[in-house]
Amino acid sequence: MINPFNLFFKSSRYWLIKSISKLLTSGTRRVEFADFWMGDQFCSLVFTLSNLYLFACSYTIGFENWRKCGSAARTWPVAFILAMLPFLIRVIQSIKRYVDSKLNTHLINGGKYLCGIIYYLCYYIWRHQGSLRNTSFAFWCLFGTLYSVYASAWDFWMDWSLFRPHVKYPFLRAELLYTDHIPLYYFAIISNALIRFIWVIYIPSASAPNMYLRFFIAGFLEMLRRWQWNFIRLENEHLGNMDQYRVTREVPLPYSFDDNHLGDTDDD
């Protein structure tokens, strides 16, 4: 019997596997758009990646005893390493792009992901120490704020190319593709900034819900943030390709024809 799963989207599944495998060889080859775009997708999967060890441990000892896995101190370094792999890959990609192009913007972009690594390191140390309001808590809040502001600013000015002056729609850009849905741009700006600060949901509070529920809420909202981020990021990439004539049917020549000269040529 023919498996329909093997008939549909075979090329897409092959592309996905190939793109993910390229992430593991970052730094050894030229970084293309699909490479760093895929890396950004995995940066939004910190919740999923950090729980891979918990899932494997729970499967081994039995899901009814899953809390024993989460309570072991040795799980935090493993969870941190798994969660930071996409950020480390993006740092390597940014350095590689700087080496190839000598553009300082790639180093600034790499600094964003390095800041994210420090933020999550502070978070896991704080959690390991019992989620108390101590020195590690202060460092976690500090780097959480720095990373959120850093990442939000890069989203708006670089990834989305928004907040341009002298444009028809305030805070946007001159060229837009989703002209029938202008309010959604403003919704994306506000929601993107708010979800970038979703880490505040982890701050201890007597009335706060269970920490595991907060983990799920933060992970789910980050998934939605990345989903809407993709639309505007791909739009901006497409417009950039058009401006540089990488996507076009007609390329203007570096000279013009004189009508009179053309007429004389025709007479000959």
Side-chain angles (χ1 to χ4, degrees), residues 251-263 265:
V251 179
L253 298 175
Y255 52 84
S256 59
F257 292 101
D258 183 81
D259 292 339
N260 295 330
H261 176 72
L262 288 176
T265 302

Side-chain angles (χ1 to χ4, degrees), residues 59-226:
Y59 180 82
T60 303
I61 67 175
F63 288 103
E64 66 277 3
N65 300 317
W66 67 272
R67 291 184 182 275
K68 294 182 180 180
C69 298
S71 61
R74 57 188 173 84
T75 63
W76 293 110
V78 175
F80 170 72
I81 293 174
L82 290 174
M84 288 307 100
L85 283 177
F87 287 82
L88 181 60
I89 289 173
R90 289 296 286 118
V91 171
I92 296 174
Q93 288 179 340
S94 298
I95 295 175
K96 176 61 176 175
R97 296 188 74 189
Y98 169 75
V99 172
D100 292 340
S101 66
K102 305 303 180 183
L103 294 176
N104 292 329
T105 52
H106 298 308
L107 292 181
I108 299 175
N109 192 27
K112 177 188 66 176
Y113 296 101
L114 183 61
C115 184
I117 292 176
I118 298 174
Y119 155 70
Y120 279 108
L121 177 62
C122 293
Y123 166 75
Y124 279 107
I125 293 176
W126 171 66
R127 289 282 296 165
H128 174 59
Q129 294 179 350
S131 302
L132 304 175
R133 293 181 180 269
N134 51 16
T135 303
S136 61
F137 173 76
F139 275 103
W140 169 57
C141 292
L142 173 63
F143 281 99
T145 303
L146 290 176
Y147 175 62
S148 298
V149 173
Y150 200 157
S152 296
W154 192 271
D155 288 338
F156 298 146
W157 278 288
M158 302 302 295
D159 288 339
W160 291 356
S161 295
L162 300 181
F163 292 92
R164 302 304 180 187
H166 314 297
V167 294
K168 180 179 180 181
Y169 300 102
F171 308 118
L172 301 185
R173 67 174 101 86
E175 295 181 285
L176 301 170
L177 295 183
Y178 310 117
T179 54
D180 294 334
H181 307 282
I182 297 299
L184 294 182
Y185 286 96
Y186 296 102
F187 174 82
I189 291 174
I190 296 173
S191 59
N192 188 85
L194 291 177
I195 298 177
R196 280 293 190 183
F197 283 87
I198 193 60
W199 56 269
V200 299
I201 198 176
Y202 299 140
I203 295 178
S205 175
S207 59
N210 182 277
M211 181 62 78
Y212 293 102
L213 177 59
R214 283 181 276 173
F215 287 157
F216 174 78
I217 293 174
F220 183 74
L221 290 178
E222 172 60 21
M223 178 192 68
L224 294 179
R225 187 198 68 81
R226 182 63 66 180

Side-chain angles (χ1 to χ4, degrees), residues 6-7 12 31 36 46 49 69 72 95 130 165 211-212 237 253 267:
N6 293 328
L7 297 178
S12 298
V31 182
F36 60 79
V46 170
L49 295 174
C69 298
I95 295 175
M211 181 62 78
Y212 293 102
E237 182 70 14
L253 298 175
D267 292 339

